[in-house]
Amino acid sequence: MALPRSSINALRSSLDRAVSSKDPAGIATAVDVPLRNTNVVGGPSTSGVSPPSSGSVHREQLKVDGVDWSNVLNYLLDVHLAIASNDLASTFEAQSSLHSALNHNLSSTKGNWLIPGIHTVCRNTHRAAALADEYVNRNAGTKNDHKRLQNAVTLLQASYSKTLNDRVELRPNEPLSEEGSKKVGVLYIVNQLFSMYFQLNTLRLCKNLLKPVESRSIHESGTMGEMVTYRYYVGRLNMFEDQYELAEQNFDYALKHCHKSAVANKKRILNYLVPVKLLRGRLPTNKLLQKYSLYEFVPLLNGMRSGNLMEFSDGLMKNQDLFIRRGTYLLLEKCKMICYRNLFKRIWKIVGTEQIKLDYIAASFKWLGMPIDLDEVECILANLIFKSYIRGYLSHAKRVLVLSKKDPFPTAKVIK
């Protein structure tokens, strides 16, 4: 069963008009579909309209300037039909076919006026795959069925390849036209692929995108939104590879250039920038945490400032699941060394001498409600001395920490 003739005529007219006039915004609108519609719930059809099965159920014909747009039109109609049928699986299948058809037409179309349409189908294919996987997992009681998202990656990789390998030279800020380079569409697609790779936990594939993009300086010639998103994902990749200085640079760029009204995006960036800053000894203000409702970091920040290991550990444990989901738990765990360092600095100031008995340190741990023996104290101190957070040495025989008379707690080694 097909869509009503009135709907077919409206969609056909919209696509024909956009293609005939080579209208970039018009083509993006024509191939867009309402995937966020509340009717798309994934359940059985309640509209009396049957979803498409295999192949297109529509047989419309559309040819413009010698290029056949029939497949694009028919699969676009199929997507609308699947949405009207409340069928997420069929919606994704039809959207995949639409994406494939538009990829094909991109190759036979001159210029880059079709790029906004490609961006639209890339976004919708990603969204349709995520919705279909979520529905399947919810009904099957599973969590790790990402079959549709994996299939969507293949389609976006094809779009990426067709735009990246365009022979026309990329000229920044050039308007979309029949003479422009398709490379202008690369960065948006790369960002979509980054998002999908992170969802699938296949971060190794991100490397395949970085070199081609950065060797051509494409990451510096997109829209500001695309460049901010790119830096955000590269920063996350740097973070997982323990390249914290690079991660901080990329997150700082993303935060600085993020639109002032995009509060949710700024908070998303800070979810990763704050842990990197903490590890590098740069503590954010309480005002910043309150502004963006980052309350999960408050006990960690207070614990690090005062050397209160109990407060730090409780805060880390309380929000453990959240930090694990973000992938920042192990990074924040490393910040405990700075907490140790600040605790020992407070003990040094109280004792008032360069020779500190390990019994005093063990007593402070006991007072905090975290009793440890002297061997554990020595182990912690040895690590701090090795990392140059503390200048001095341990006397195992006397169970004493001997601190340097000159700057025993060097700030430069903590704040990097």
Side-chain angles (χ1 to χ4, degrees):
M1 186 173 179
L3 284 173
R5 176 47 59 179
S6 60
S7 299
I8 293 175
N9 289 341
L11 292 167
R12 178 195 179 95
S13 176
S14 174
L15 181 61
D16 190 3
R17 206 165 43 242
V19 174
S20 299
S21 60
K22 308 290 190 294
D23 179 11
I27 193 69
T29 301
V31 299
D32 200 5
V33 291
L35 286 173
R36 297 181 186 276
N37 193 302
T38 53
N39 290 330
V40 185
V41 295
S45 174
T46 57
S47 61
V49 180
S50 300
S53 50
S54 59
S56 176
V57 299
H58 297 90
R59 295 291 183 268
E60 302 297 315
Q61 298 294 319
L62 179 62
K63 186 172 284 191
V64 180
D65 296 333
V67 178
D68 189 2
W69 288 84
S70 302
N71 282 340
V72 173
L73 174 59
N74 288 323
Y75 288 125
L76 176 63
L77 297 175
D78 288 351
V79 179
H80 282 274
L81 176 61
I83 291 174
S85 307
N86 295 339
D87 190 322
L88 284 173
S90 294
T91 298
F92 172 68
E93 294 302 324
Q95 176 64 32
S96 297
S97 298
L98 171 61
H99 194 153
S100 181
L102 202 62
N103 274 344
H104 176 77
N105 280 34
L106 179 66
S107 301
S108 56
T109 303
K110 288 185 178 180
N112 56 13
W113 62 272
L114 195 53
I115 291 301
I118 289 292
H119 286 174
T120 298
V121 296
C122 284
R123 183 190 70 238
N124 287 343
T125 299
H126 181 183
R127 177 66 177 160
L131 288 171
D133 281 339
E134 180 184 355
Y135 175 71
V136 169
N137 284 320
R138 185 169 63 246
N139 283 275
T142 59
K143 293 183 178 181
N144 299 317
D145 184 354
H146 301 298
K147 181 180 178 181
R148 283 139 293 273
L149 191 60
Q150 290 166 345
N151 292 339
V153 164
T154 304
L155 289 165
L156 269 79
Q157 286 173 336
S159 299
Y160 165 74
S161 179
K162 290 177 185 296
T163 52
L164 181 70
N165 296 325
D166 187 28
R167 294 182 179 180
V168 180
E169 183 182 353
L170 175 63
R171 296 182 178 86
N173 303 318
E174 184 181 42
L176 300 173
S177 66
E178 290 185 80
E179 289 77 36
S181 172
K182 293 182 177 70
K183 290 188 180 75
V184 74
V186 169
L187 198 57
Y188 181 92
I189 300 170
V190 165
N191 289 335
Q192 288 288 328
L193 284 169
F194 275 153
S195 176
M196 297 164 90
Y197 291 156
F198 273 91
Q199 285 176 267
L200 294 169
N201 198 26
T202 53
L203 303 189
R204 67 186 186 283
L205 297 178
C206 294
K207 287 290 187 180
N208 299 336
L209 303 176
L210 291 177
K211 189 174 180 180
V213 168
E214 298 192 356
S215 64
R216 294 171 172 84
S217 298
I218 294 174
H219 65 301
E220 298 174 350
S221 58
T223 65
M224 184 53 69
E226 290 170 354
M227 290 190 289
V228 165
T229 304
Y230 179 83
R231 291 295 194 100
Y232 164 74
Y233 281 115
V234 173
R236 287 183 62 183
L237 193 61
N238 295 147
M239 189 187 75
F240 288 123
E241 293 177 340
D242 296 337
Q243 297 175 326
Y244 300 119
E245 185 176 355
L246 284 175
E248 185 176 11
Q249 290 173 9
N250 283 305
F251 287 136
D252 276 336
Y253 178 95
L255 185 63
K256 180 180 178 181
H257 293 89
C258 187
H259 196 279
K260 62 181 180 181
S261 63
V263 177
N265 287 342
K266 286 187 175 184
K267 182 175 180 179
R268 199 169 286 122
I269 295 166
L270 286 166
N271 284 336
Y272 297 94
L273 178 57
V274 169
V276 171
K277 291 277 191 186
L278 289 177
L279 183 64
R280 292 173 61 77
R282 299 175 183 178
L283 308 186
T285 62
N286 286 322
K287 184 178 179 181
L288 176 74
L289 300 184
Q290 290 172 4
K291 180 179 179 180
Y292 293 100
S293 301
L294 299 170
Y295 300 115
E296 65 270 24
F297 294 112
V298 172
L300 307 184
L301 182 63
N302 292 339
M304 289 178 69
R305 278 201 178 117
S306 62
N308 189 334
L309 279 167
M310 178 61 77
E311 186 173 5
F312 181 91
S313 298
D314 287 348
L316 195 61
M317 184 61 66
K318 180 181 178 181
N319 298 290
Q320 180 177 356
D321 291 342
L322 174 63
F323 294 140
I324 289 174
R325 283 198 304 273
R326 291 177 184 169
T328 57
Y329 179 80
L330 293 179
L331 173 61
L332 290 167
E333 180 76 25
K334 293 179 182 178
C335 295
K336 189 176 285 187
M337 295 304 290
I338 299 176
C339 200
Y340 284 134
R341 179 256 189 199
N342 291 341
L343 172 62
F344 297 152
K345 185 177 181 179
R346 294 190 70 185
I347 294 170
W348 167 64
K349 287 184 176 181
I350 292 170
V351 173
T353 177
E354 283 74 33
Q355 295 189 18
I356 304 174
K357 293 181 179 180
L358 299 191
D359 288 327
Y360 293 161
I361 297 174
S364 68
F365 275 91
K366 185 176 180 180
W367 182 81
L368 286 168
M370 303 174 67
I372 60 175
D373 60 32
L374 295 184
D375 289 336
E376 289 179 89
V377 172
E378 280 195 23
C379 183
I380 294 169
L381 286 168
N383 276 302
L384 290 170
I385 293 170
F386 175 75
K387 290 178 179 289
S388 299
Y389 285 0
I390 293 177
R391 285 178 181 162
Y393 64 91
L394 283 166
S395 172
H396 177 71
K398 296 182 179 180
R399 297 284 189 169
V400 169
L401 168 65
V402 182
L403 295 171
S404 170
K405 292 184 178 180
K406 182 180 179 182
D407 196 14
F409 295 90
T411 304
K413 293 296 181 181
V414 179
I415 302 177
K416 301 173 184 176

